Amino acid sequence: MPFEGKVAIVTGAGRGIGRAVARAYANVGARVVLADLDPAGCEETAQGWPAGAFYIQICDVRRPEDTVALAETAHQRFGRIDFLVNNAGIGIWKSPFDLSVEEWEDVLATNLRGAFLCSREAARVMRETGGGAIVNIASTRALMSEPGSEAYAASKGGIVALTHALAISLGPDRIRVNCISPGWIETGDYNALRPVDHRQHPCGRVGRPEDIARACLYLTDPDNDFVTGVNLVIDGGMTRKMIYVD
Ligand code: NDP
């Protein structure tokens, strides 16, 4: 039972992938700190969980003081932090000619700086309590692009680099740092997807949030302590598919 009694923080836990990740940790016996802008989504995520198994912390990862409070609260309530999943993220899609400086800053502050600050504050606790594991949620858009995705792609590419930098800095503190680059993960109505949506994937289907949640468990499992600094691409094979059109 490698996760029993351990403590996991999941940012952006109020919906989508973060919700599935939080539920995966709860299902294997970890206590979970659910961090998000709005507590309502987190309450839904944790519906039916025993009271002592979770704590909901309102946290805007763009605000440095919120990231400090997140780690301090988790430490105070549960006495340790073992895992952190930096999942909170936003995207702004528009032409690079129209993207404002404020929009660029907002995406970078949420996706990249937020992951750095949460990691740093959680690591301050982890190194005092025997180590831990951090997973950053990047994207296959760190590796390939559609038009109009500059801020998002840059933030996710930054996360891949941040991951290996932190893996090296925090290794001596027995803290492993990995990232996941999801492809298309359907967080809405999976049944509304078209056959062509599934068919275009080499593995034959669009991804589900649970595909990412299982990878978080793999990367943070203490048995897998030879794995650090990696970018695990989970995209049904899409980034390996060569496409030429006449
Ligand atoms: P969602 O938009 O469904 O959920 C994101 C969550 O993050 C929301 O709960 C949102 O809160 C929260 N959030 C946003 N900004 C902040 C902030 N400043 N502080 C704290 N929480 C915040 O996203 P997904 O579940 O689809 O994606 C999760 C992660 O996975 C993101 O990092 C995304 O970039 C990445 N990803 C997703 C893919 C996909 O296909 N779904 C593909 C590749 C990567 P609120 O609801 O209040 O806005």
Side-chain angles (χ1 to χ4, degrees), residues 12 14-18 36-38 59-62 87-90 110 137-139 152 156 182-185 187:
R15 60 187 162 100
I17 293 172
D36 212 315
L37 295 170
D38 172 14
C59 173
D60 182 341
V61 299
R62 291 169 298 188
N87 165 79
I90 57 167
T110 305
I137 305 298
S139 168
Y152 185 81
K156 296 300 187 177
W184 180 354
I185 303 298
T187 58

Side-chain angles (χ1 to χ4, degrees), residues 44-212:
E44 207 180 314
T45 299
Q47 217 162 26
W49 298 5
F54 69 97
Y55 185 77
I56 295 171
Q57 174 81 5
I58 298 171
C59 173
D60 182 341
V61 299
R62 291 169 298 188
R63 293 165 52 91
E65 58 273 34
D66 282 18
T67 66
V68 173
L70 175 60
E72 282 179 352
T73 304
H75 192 197
Q76 278 162 15
R77 293 202 76 88
F78 294 122
R80 56 190 300 114
I81 301 171
D82 299 284
F83 317 122
L84 165 68
V85 180
N86 284 308
N87 165 79
I90 57 167
I92 295 178
W93 317 106
K94 53 164 70 173
S95 159
F97 299 109
D98 299 328
L99 189 74
S100 71
V101 169
E102 291 73 24
E103 288 169 330
W104 170 274
E105 297 290 357
D106 198 32
V107 173
L108 271 289
T110 305
N111 298 0
L112 181 55
R113 196 183 69 192
F116 169 66
L117 293 175
C118 289
S119 297
R120 182 172 68 181
E121 299 314 319
R124 289 190 207 283
V125 178
M126 288 174 177
R127 67 178 175 174
E128 300 302 326
T129 55
I134 296 169
V135 177
N136 298 319
I137 305 298
S139 168
T140 49
R141 289 168 189 270
L143 310 169
M144 60 199 304
S145 292
E146 289 176 304
S149 61
E150 279 69 21
Y152 185 81
S155 74
K156 296 300 187 177
I159 287 178
V160 174
L162 172 69
T163 298
H164 61 69
L166 283 173
I168 300 308
S169 298
L170 301 179
D173 293 312
R174 298 178 57 211
I175 299 169
R176 296 184 297 110
V177 187
N178 294 291
C179 67
I180 295 171
S181 284
W184 180 354
I185 303 298
E186 184 54 49
T187 58
D189 183 0
Y190 198 83
N191 292 325
L193 294 170
R194 303 163 303 168
V196 67
D197 298 328
H198 295 296
R199 211 166 47 233
Q200 67 180 303
H201 287 76
C203 77
R205 69 168 175 88
V206 172
R208 298 175 181 274
E210 291 73 19
D211 292 311
I212 305 307

